[in-house]
Amino acid sequence: MSTLKRVYVTRQIPPEGLRILRESGQVQMDLWDSDDVPVPREELLRQVRGVDGLVCVLTEKIDTELLDAAGPNLKVLSTMSVGFDHLSLEELKKRGIRVGYTPDVLTDSVAELTVALLLATSRRLIEATHEAKTGGWGTWRTLWLCGHELANSTVGILGLGRIGVAIAERLAPFKVKKFIYADVAPRPELASVIGAEYVSFDELAERSDFLAICCALTPETKEICNKHLFSKMKNTSIFINTSRGGVVNQEDLYEALATGQIAGAGLDVTVPEPLPTDHPLFTLKNCVILPHIASASHTTRNAMSAMAANNLLQGLRGEPMIKELHP
């Protein structure tokens, strides 16, 4: 009879993933049994000692300190996320630890939320709701709460991948005139799906009426959305970020919004997370901020937890994972 592998799960992940792990007959699982409070760092360092596998979420920093605490038994890490900027990939590679992640399954959910955030920002829905609730709704006025519509607009995408394409597919019925994108290199196969034109970074800023940020956070993209970008955008442009907060210089964004350099911004991601309630961005009517909920549908989160669980189990068996990172 094979020995059960010791596994630690850093969060009470959605039920489908937990069910798969419990019914696998392959692992002895310990769990931080909360979804509301992240596992304290000291507790995490204690719990990972000697484990064979680890399931984490994006709030846990998987670095040298944690890997040293885990020790040489750790062979598989599975993160319930598509992003991996919380992982020290170089250290994981050095130690021969396999890494699973959960792309693809959240594409639809993130694309839907991006469109919702774009519309809420461009049509000033949060402002409008506030006015209706607080007595601001008076006589009909010709320009009161006017926003910007998608019809005949140019939509720009920074980082054209599965999510960028899915966003464009959902926006196309709004009679968008043109899709353009910038990336490290042309992506002709993906671009052909939505009829998107490859342009330079500066041209993307200059031509976009709506700019959706869909790139991964890497050393090259850190704070790539800064005053250089905002200074080239139209004063009627809407900026939307559902990728990672670190790709935006938030001080520069605040300045662009406060001075009317751009018309509005919708953010699902920030630095830090949660964003302090006294942060200057919260004082702006033309900035809509959500608490990182792009993949927050029941279907998607359960699919992510199931993939994370299966990645872990397959990795522990020495089999190919459903989705594996190769640093």
Side-chain angles (χ1 to χ4, degrees), residues 264-281:
L267 310 174
D268 184 51
V269 286
T270 60
V271 176
E273 292 183 358
L275 193 66
T277 55
D278 61 354
H279 193 281
L281 285 171

Side-chain angles (χ1 to χ4, degrees), residues 4-8 44-53 66-75:
L4 295 178
K5 300 291 187 182
R6 282 193 58 217
V7 166
Y8 187 66
L44 177 59
L45 293 176
R46 186 177 69 81
Q47 290 286 356
V48 298
R49 290 175 191 159
V51 298
D52 300 288
L66 184 138
L67 296 174
D68 284 344
N73 283 356
L74 181 59
K75 294 295 187 287

Side-chain angles (χ1 to χ4, degrees), residues 296-310:
S297 75
H298 292 291
T299 300
T300 291
R301 290 287 172 85
N302 268 293
M304 290 172 71
S305 73
M307 182 180 286
N310 283 316

Side-chain angles (χ1 to χ4, degrees), residues 30-280:
D30 290 311
L31 167 73
W32 177 253
D33 199 13
S34 173
D35 191 31
D36 297 319
V37 181
V39 56
R41 183 70 174 182
E42 297 76 15
E43 174 71 5
L44 177 59
L45 293 176
R46 186 177 69 81
Q47 290 286 356
V48 298
R49 290 175 191 159
V51 298
D52 300 288
L54 182 64
V55 177
C56 71
V57 296
L58 51 79
T59 53
E60 276 74 65
K61 190 168 180 59
I62 309 301
D63 56 10
T64 301
E65 179 188 38
L66 184 138
L67 296 174
D68 284 344
N73 283 356
L74 181 59
K75 294 295 187 287
V76 181
L77 169 75
S78 180
T79 180
M80 191 185 127
S81 65
V82 63
F84 43 84
D85 46 286
H86 57 302
L87 309 179
S88 296
L89 294 179
E90 190 174 327
E91 272 300 314
L92 289 160
K93 181 179 181 180
K94 187 191 304 181
R95 298 167 192 246
I97 298 170
R98 295 178 66 187
V99 181
Y101 71 134
T102 60
D104 300 345
V105 293
L106 47 64
T107 298
D108 289 334
S109 180
V110 173
E112 284 181 10
L113 189 281
T114 303
V115 172
L117 181 57
L118 184 152
L119 290 169
T121 305
S122 63
R123 296 303 301 268
R124 303 171 65 181
L125 301 188
I126 308 304
E127 284 182 77
T129 300
H130 176 76
E131 292 293 316
K133 286 181 176 179
T134 57
W137 185 2
T139 186
W140 185 84
R141 285 164 273 176
T142 59
L143 291 175
W144 186 53
L145 289 173
C146 281
H148 301 277
E149 61 187 62
L150 280 159
N152 298 309
S153 68
T154 296
V155 173
I157 299 167
L158 179 60
L160 186 65
R162 295 175 299 270
I163 291 173
V165 169
I167 291 167
E169 288 175 331
R170 285 158 174 78
L171 291 177
F174 286 86
K175 299 182 180 178
V176 170
K177 180 174 67 177
K178 183 73 176 176
F179 290 106
I180 59 177
Y181 75 101
D183 212 319
V184 291
R187 309 287 299 274
E189 287 188 14
L190 286 173
S192 65
V193 175
I194 56 173
E197 176 189 352
Y198 180 68
V199 298
S200 69
F201 182 75
D202 284 357
E203 191 175 353
L204 183 77
E206 292 164 357
R207 290 175 58 185
S208 295
D209 297 301
F210 299 86
L211 179 55
I213 309 304
C214 301
C215 59
L217 176 59
T218 66
E220 293 72 33
T221 61
K222 182 176 173 60
E223 296 192 356
I224 193 172
C225 301
N226 54 33
K227 60 184 175 183
H228 172 82
L229 174 82
F230 300 130
S231 68
K232 293 185 177 297
M233 291 176 68
K234 305 172 186 179
N235 62 10
T236 54
S237 293
I238 302 295
F239 176 86
I240 302 295
N241 184 21
T242 53
S243 60
R244 283 290 184 265
V247 303
V248 178
N249 182 307
Q250 290 176 173
E251 290 72 25
D252 291 353
L253 176 60
Y254 173 83
E255 187 67 19
L257 290 166
T259 61
Q261 196 166 59
I262 64 174
L267 310 174
D268 184 51
V269 286
T270 60
V271 176
E273 292 183 358
L275 193 66
T277 55
D278 61 354
H279 193 281

